Amino acid sequence: MEAKTGWKTGSLTVFVCLLMVLTLPGPTLASDIGSPSPAAISGLYPGKAYSPYAQRSFPSQVFWGETHLHTGVSLDAGLFGCILGHEDGYRFARGEEIKSSTGLPVKLSRPLDWLVIADHSDMMGIAFDIQKGTPNVLAVPKGKEWHEGFKKGGEAAGKAAFDLITHFAQMKVPEKLLNDYSPGSKIYDSVWEDIIETADRFNDPGRFTALIGFEWTSVPKGFNLHRNVILRDDGNRASQVLPLTTLPPLGTQDPLDLYQWLADYEAKTGGQSLAIAHNGNLSNGWMFPLTDTYAGGKVDKNYVELRAKWEPLYEMTQIKGDGEAHPVLSPNDEFADFETLDKGNLDLTEVKKDEMLQREYAREALKNGLALEQKFGTNPYKFGMVGATDSHTGLSTAEEDNFFGKATSAEPSATRAAHPFIKSALGTIEGYELSASGYQGVWASENTRHAIFDAMERKETYATTGPRMAVRFFGGWDFNNYDLRSRAPAFIGYEKGVPMGGDLTNAPKGKAPTFMVYALRDPIGANLDRIPIIKGWLDNKNKTHERIFDVAVSDGRKIDKDGRCKTPVGNTVDLEAANWTNTIGASELAAVWIDPDFDAGQKAFYYARVLEIPTPRWVLYDKVRLGAVIPKEAKLTLQERAYTSPIWYTP
């Protein structure tokens, strides 16, 4: 272990950069292995214990999963050719080898620990019936047209799928089909019952958790306002309700109505629920409103309180782009332009304008939330970080070398990178622009529905673009470099501070917050480049600001007096073999950092971003394995990353 500590004279800056090139144990418990101090034991155990693993009172394991997988039950996924259902999705997620909808054998490198299958609540099951050509579908001219397009396959199936999606977005679905596949109908209710039964059957406490959920797909005029709904409960409670939809006359596109549905669910069943928004980058400025909502309402006290209550998390990285930051909003962040999709709304019927961006990206929303809290007393954008795939294949694949695409039509082939994902008269989202992302790490006490959900509620979660790094992030007032000398810093983290998702208040006189962060690389993945901590704050004139501090870097590189490392980590990617070597970077990075610009009277937030060294992007694997011709504009490498939930400071 090599430790480097630098002090900036006359300030509170402390940079502790630890480069640890030890052999890594498994990722689940690695950050908590070793002997805590006697003081930490006495503070965190009911009684003193020699064994550091006995009677722990804090979450000691990270469990991997995602909250956003679609199967053929979703109308778009099914029409794009997905024939896999919920049972297939669960079997695959827990590590079984299955066949994809295109007949390819597929298996995860490692099983997931938990999963939410969040099929679109509108018209659940219609796609399977269109595939089969059921009598009620064929009785409607449009339904017969969609069925015939699906039977032909290829381009005809794609056109049929987009036609159905367009009819859905424009609220022009034939009335007969809308009635057959709406809540309360025999067909719809039986599909929901099957979803619940399958989740309960695959839920195996301690081994694999299947949380019940659905996607509420509000997409007015192509503006992405989608939310995934997650239930904490089993089928006994979930079966007492039917999902909320968006199409009239039963549905609604107003998030306030979704919040009412969540409240009604809890009141009726005694259960618990939450919602997760995603893809603000495709909302054209409506995901994080500042004054008016798209539904015609106002961002007022009622709105901010309800959003804060029901949306504790935000899905800020997935197949349809990374949503942490944008180079226009964060010009001083050289890593902000990452997997950026910023051409327009979801169906490219309206192009993007720069003024929309501040209401679309996570970092800017976190900053604007501080200003709204100053105005209304509640921060509506006080969310933790989530990564998910939004795959419509029934396959939760987020690894670059095992990426099965957004939809069945984009499963591995020599042509998928060059085939447009969405094309309109206004622009094109190319196939190669889609991202093999992401997963969510949850720090919990056990692998059960209640423990996973509760960790989400308290925001003790983090997003990754696919790799399974183990990341801890704590904030407090008294962390120091000695706290990292143990192989069990989590004991100190919980004893002296709060974890990711937590709050610091009322700074002790003369003190600035200290943060302890550490990360272990994915055991089968790439080494780590650096860990920046991103700070956002609200000044005394109610203006928001951000600043980035590199707090831990690999390979002995220097952090300058402004808190930045200007030296790139390098690149070992072999473009001919789609490979890389871990001869640069670090297997483990850790730091204790003190905010040098802290003002005890200003609201602020802090989160950590963990960057890997460069590795091959999925298109490079397609080129090497399939002989695919990759457009010259496509990026062949990337730096995968993790984003912790923030820690907030409130005076």
Side-chain angles (χ1 to χ4, degrees):
M1 178 187 301
E2 177 186 350
K4 297 185 178 181
T5 305
W7 290 82
K8 182 179 177 182
T9 305
S11 78
L12 292 172
T13 305
V14 179
F15 294 111
V16 181
C17 307
L18 298 180
L19 172 57
M20 306 172 192
V21 289
L22 306 175
T23 301
L24 291 179
T28 301
L29 292 171
S31 59
D32 298 326
I33 284 180
S35 298
S37 68
I41 290 178
S42 64
L44 289 168
Y45 291 154
K48 290 185 178 181
Y50 178 82
S51 171
Y53 313 110
Q55 300 181 341
R56 290 192 182 195
S57 61
F58 59 81
S60 59
Q61 300 181 75
V62 60
F63 296 107
W64 291 99
E66 68 150 315
T67 59
H68 196 178
L69 177 68
H70 293 268
T71 72
V73 172
S74 287
L75 62 92
D76 52 354
L79 268 190
F80 279 125
C82 181
I83 60 175
L84 302 184
H86 283 226
E87 181 165 329
D88 302 299
Y90 288 130
R91 287 177 53 220
F92 179 75
R94 70 182 188 183
E96 296 183 39
E97 180 177 316
I98 67 172
K99 283 192 175 181
S100 75
S101 295
T102 58
L104 297 174
V106 57
K107 184 178 181 179
L108 286 173
S109 65
R110 293 154 291 177
L112 294 176
D113 299 305
W114 58 273
L115 179 67
V116 181
I117 297 179
D119 277 313
H120 300 294
S121 60
D122 283 278
M123 309 193 75
M124 277 183 175
I126 189 174
F128 281 154
D129 287 353
I130 289 174
Q131 292 174 10
K132 298 172 188 174
T134 56
N136 68 312
V137 168
L138 297 180
V140 177
K142 262 297 173 187
K144 185 177 181 181
E145 178 185 324
W146 292 331
H147 167 68
E148 291 174 348
F150 178 82
K151 274 203 313 182
K152 291 179 182 177
E155 186 176 347
K159 286 182 177 179
F162 276 114
D163 189 50
L164 174 55
I165 293 168
T166 300
H167 275 70
F168 172 78
Q170 301 299 325
M171 300 184 185
K172 294 180 180 178
V173 175
E175 184 177 359
K176 174 69 166 62
L177 294 179
L178 180 61
N179 291 336
D180 283 353
Y181 297 94
S182 287
S185 73
K186 183 178 180 180
I187 297 174
Y188 188 98
D189 292 4
S190 67
V191 172
W192 179 237
E193 289 172 4
D194 184 63
I195 288 171
I196 292 170
E197 186 278 328
T198 307
D200 277 357
R201 179 157 44 91
F202 276 87
N203 189 58
D204 187 5
R207 296 184 179 182
F208 181 81
T209 293
L211 288 149
I212 299 169
F214 62 88
E215 180 179 309
W216 177 76
T217 315
S218 177
V219 60
K221 294 188 177 180
F223 303 141
N224 191 104
L225 300 176
H226 303 179
R227 267 79 167 176
N228 293 331
V229 173
I230 317 300
L231 307 182
R232 186 178 187 262
D233 313 299
D234 62 17
N236 290 328
R237 287 192 167 101
S239 61
Q240 297 177 42
V241 300
L242 291 167
L244 182 68
T245 55
T246 66
L247 293 179
L250 297 178
T252 171
Q253 304 216 43
D254 188 344
L256 290 179
D257 294 326
L258 174 64
Y259 304 152
Q260 186 60 55
W261 185 94
L262 296 167
D264 291 344
Y265 169 80
E266 294 195 353
K268 180 176 182 177
T269 69
Q272 290 181 251
S273 57
L274 59 82
I276 304 173
H278 62 273
N279 278 126
N281 62 316
L282 298 175
S283 73
N284 276 20
W286 291 107
M287 180 56 76
F288 299 111
L290 303 179
T291 55
D292 303 303
T293 70
Y294 184 81
K298 293 290 183 183
V299 177
D300 54 16
K301 185 175 178 60
N302 180 61
Y303 179 89
V304 300
E305 289 179 352
L306 289 174
R307 182 150 182 172
K309 175 178 174 61
W310 296 111
E311 296 192 32
L313 303 170
Y314 177 60
E315 180 187 303
M316 44 74 67
T317 186
Q318 62 135 277
I319 286 175
K320 298 198 298 294
D322 194 83
E324 183 219 2
H326 191 280
V328 169
L329 302 171
S330 303
N332 296 322
D333 183 357
E334 67 272 33
F335 297 103
D337 190 10
F338 175 73
E339 299 292 298
T340 304
L341 265 184
D342 59 358
K343 297 183 179 182
N345 57 346
L346 184 58
D347 56 5
L348 287 182
T349 55
E350 181 180 282
V351 298
K352 188 77 67 192
K353 299 177 182 178
D354 283 354
E355 57 264 28
M356 299 173 179
L357 297 173
Q358 70 159 321
R359 302 184 303 278
E360 295 191 345
Y361 283 82
R363 186 187 300 173
E364 204 69 16
L366 291 168
K367 289 157 59 179
N368 288 332
L370 300 177
L372 290 172
E373 182 181 27
Q374 188 75 3
K375 183 177 181 180
F376 295 113
T378 300
N379 183 347
Y381 307 137
K382 193 174 182 179
F383 50 74
M385 305 297 199
V386 172
T389 66
D390 193 10
S391 168
H392 282 55
T393 62
L395 305 169
S396 183
T397 58
E399 294 171 311
E400 304 292 331
D401 68 345
N402 195 31
F403 181 48
F404 269 64
K406 167 70 175 176
T408 297
S409 57
E411 288 187 4
S413 74
T415 60
R416 65 171 175 168
H419 191 276
F421 168 60
I422 294 176
K423 188 173 184 178
S424 77
L426 299 178
T428 303
I429 296 177
E430 302 290 354
Y432 63 77
E433 293 183 283
L434 297 179
S435 180
S437 186
Y439 285 142
Q440 178 182 352
V442 175
W443 285 103
S445 56
E446 60 184 7
N447 188 5
T448 63
R449 281 172 168 167
H450 290 180
I452 298 291
F453 184 95
D454 292 349
M456 292 188 197
E457 280 275 33
R458 66 177 182 266
K459 306 166 191 172
E460 201 167 353
T461 78
Y462 60 101
T464 87
T465 56
R468 304 187 193 184
M469 313 96 144
V471 184
R472 287 282 207 184
F473 183 51
F474 294 97
W477 304 106
D478 298 301
F479 291 123
N480 58 64
N481 58 322
Y482 293 102
D483 294 332
L484 287 172
R485 295 180 68 181
S486 165
R487 292 296 299 168
F491 287 88
I492 294 293
Y494 285 103
E495 181 184 37
K496 294 172 65 173
V498 298
M500 62 181 80
D503 291 277
L504 298 173
T505 59
N506 299 326
K509 187 175 180 179
K511 285 196 172 185
T514 59
F515 296 90
M516 182 168 63
V517 59
Y518 50 102
L520 300 171
R521 72 165 174 88
D522 184 327
I524 65 170
N527 275 347
L528 306 180
D529 167 10
R530 67 183 69 201
I531 304 177
I533 288 179
I534 292 90
K535 175 188 177 182
W537 72 96
L538 184 72
D539 69 18
N540 297 330
K541 296 181 180 179
N542 288 332
K543 292 185 178 181
T544 61
H545 306 269
E546 67 177 62
R547 188 174 172 189
I548 300 168
F549 300 88
D550 291 318
V551 301
V553 299
S554 63
D555 298 335
R557 291 171 293 156
K558 302 298 183 183
I559 298 173
D560 65 24
K561 63 181 181 180
D562 294 322
R564 303 303 306 276
C565 175
K566 304 292 174 53
T567 307
V569 70
N571 192 326
T572 67
V573 175
D574 181 343
L575 295 178
E576 293 184 355
N579 197 9
W580 81 96
T581 59
N582 277 330
T583 52
I584 59 174
S587 60
E588 181 173 3
L589 288 174
V592 165
W593 174 77
I594 303 175
D595 181 0
D597 301 323
F598 180 66
D599 185 326
Q602 295 177 346
K603 298 176 186 293
F605 65 83
Y606 307 80
Y607 69 90
R609 179 175 63 189
V610 181
L611 296 174
E612 286 188 347
I613 65 172
T615 51
R617 201 165 171 269
W618 66 269
V619 294
L620 186 57
Y621 288 106
D622 278 13
K623 180 180 179 180
V624 171
R625 293 176 180 174
L626 304 174
V629 177
I630 306 300
K632 63 180 181 180
E633 298 84 4
K635 295 179 180 179
L636 301 181
T637 66
L638 79 170
Q639 284 188 259
E640 305 262 28
R641 54 201 65 193
Y643 308 101
T644 72
S645 291
I647 293 171
W648 287 265
Y649 169 74
T650 304

